[in-house]
Amino acid sequence: DMKVTQMPRYLIKRMGENVLLECGQDMSHETMYWYRQDPGLGLQLIYISYDVDSNSEGDIPKGYRVSRKKREHFSLILDSAKTNQTSVYFCASSLSGQSNERLFFGHGTKLSVL
Amino acid sequence: KTQVEQSPQSLVVRQGENCVLQCNYSVTPDNHLRWFKQDTGKGLVSLTVLVDQKDKTSNGRYSATLDKDAKHSTLHITATLLDDTATYICVVGDRGSALGRLHFGAGTQLIVIP
């Protein structure tokens, strides 16, 4: 069905709480990504996962960690969320991680940290 | 420093009119350039990818150009429809490999009015 699904769509948390954002894809793509999108800025890469348990930091990994135990599933974890982590988070996937491959994006998770 | 600049920041056109969106970048090397459409509250959807030194693509009412010498790309939308209302994002890939990184512009917000 060629889909990237993110859960939840909206999330409100208090500062210091833990946050779990989930992402799934049904295309057997090897590579998955987490980005954040803030007003007036381009998407910023948080983490890349090249396959199960093969994760690399992106450009802004501080304050985040990821988990990929199954190829179709990639989680973003915020331990002790901060107010500056309020953002829209996008998960994406591509077949094998070549940068010129087509990227498939989820609909995003809007996270508000109060 | 922002390496992908898009202009205008926002644009309002009447249904049926044509419009042109601009993308200037300083990313080096510049392997490819992709245009995405992002509907409000949704993920990014790829419209077209440009690869050659001087490249042109066409996808229905969307056409795009790339001039790598000038590090400049345009996205033309012909006979705009209300459904074209969205943010259009220019993305430059610096390599065509798994080591490559994508550099995102902040987008041009297009509003099509009746």
Side-chain angles (χ1 to χ4, degrees):
Chain A
D1 202 23
M2 295 177 67
K3 212 190 304 185
V4 176
T5 305
Q6 290 185 237
M7 293 289 289
R9 291 294 304 272
Y10 303 92
L11 189 59
I12 300 175
K13 288 286 191 177
R14 293 195 181 281
M15 191 169 59
E17 290 184 330
N18 297 334
V19 178
L20 173 64
L21 305 185
E22 314 239 37
C23 175
Q25 48 97 2
D26 60 4
M27 297 167 279
S28 297
H29 282 174
E30 290 180 0
T31 308
M32 297 184 75
Y33 311 78
W34 277 106
Y35 290 91
R36 64 178 279 176
Q37 185 179 38
D38 298 295
L41 297 178
L43 269 71
Q44 298 177 85
L45 180 64
I46 305 171
Y47 266 95
I48 301 177
S49 175
Y50 294 102
D51 212 327
V52 171
D53 284 330
S54 179
N55 307 318
S56 291
E57 293 180 348
D59 299 320
I60 53 162
K62 188 178 179 183
Y64 304 94
R65 61 183 175 93
V66 292
S67 174
R68 190 153 179 219
K69 298 301 182 186
K70 293 182 180 180
R71 179 173 278 192
E72 64 269 19
H73 193 250
F74 190 33
S75 300
L76 180 69
I77 300 127
L78 287 67
D79 294 314
S80 188
K82 299 173 180 51
T83 55
N84 62 8
Q85 292 178 306
T86 292
S87 186
V88 181
Y89 291 86
F90 286 97
C91 175
S93 73
S94 67
L95 184 61
S96 62
Q98 305 297 310
S99 72
N100 54 1
E101 284 177 343
R102 185 174 169 187
L103 265 185
F104 293 82
F105 282 85
H107 282 194
T109 294
K110 187 170 184 179
L111 172 66
S112 296
V113 183
L114 306 178
Chain B
K1 183 189 172 187
T2 303
Q3 295 193 63
V4 180
E5 300 275 1
Q6 292 188 241
S7 62
Q9 205 168 9
S10 62
L11 180 62
V12 180
V13 299
R14 290 201 179 277
Q15 184 177 355
E17 292 181 340
N18 302 334
C19 65
V20 181
L21 283 57
Q22 313 279 350
C23 177
N24 289 287
Y25 62 91
S26 58
V27 178
T28 300
D30 49 351
N31 176 267
H32 65 280
L33 186 146
R34 195 181 289 271
W35 284 94
F36 286 90
K37 178 185 180 187
Q38 184 181 24
D39 291 317
T40 301
K42 300 282 180 68
L44 285 68
V45 175
S46 179
L47 293 174
T48 190
V49 61
L50 302 118
V51 178
D52 295 335
Q53 195 71 16
K54 292 195 194 300
D55 204 354
K56 288 184 180 180
T57 62
S58 184
N59 178 11
R61 294 180 299 103
Y62 300 103
S63 61
T65 66
L66 173 62
D67 182 344
K68 287 189 178 182
D69 293 329
K71 291 190 180 290
H72 178 72
S73 176
T74 59
L75 178 69
H76 298 246
I77 308 176
T78 304
T80 52
L81 303 172
L82 297 179
D83 282 349
D84 291 331
T85 294
T87 297
Y88 292 83
I89 296 174
C90 171
V91 183
V92 180
D94 56 19
R95 287 175 183 83
S97 70
L99 296 176
R101 278 288 198 263
L102 298 178
H103 303 263
F104 289 76
T108 291
Q109 186 181 23
L110 173 66
I111 299 171
V112 181
I113 58 176

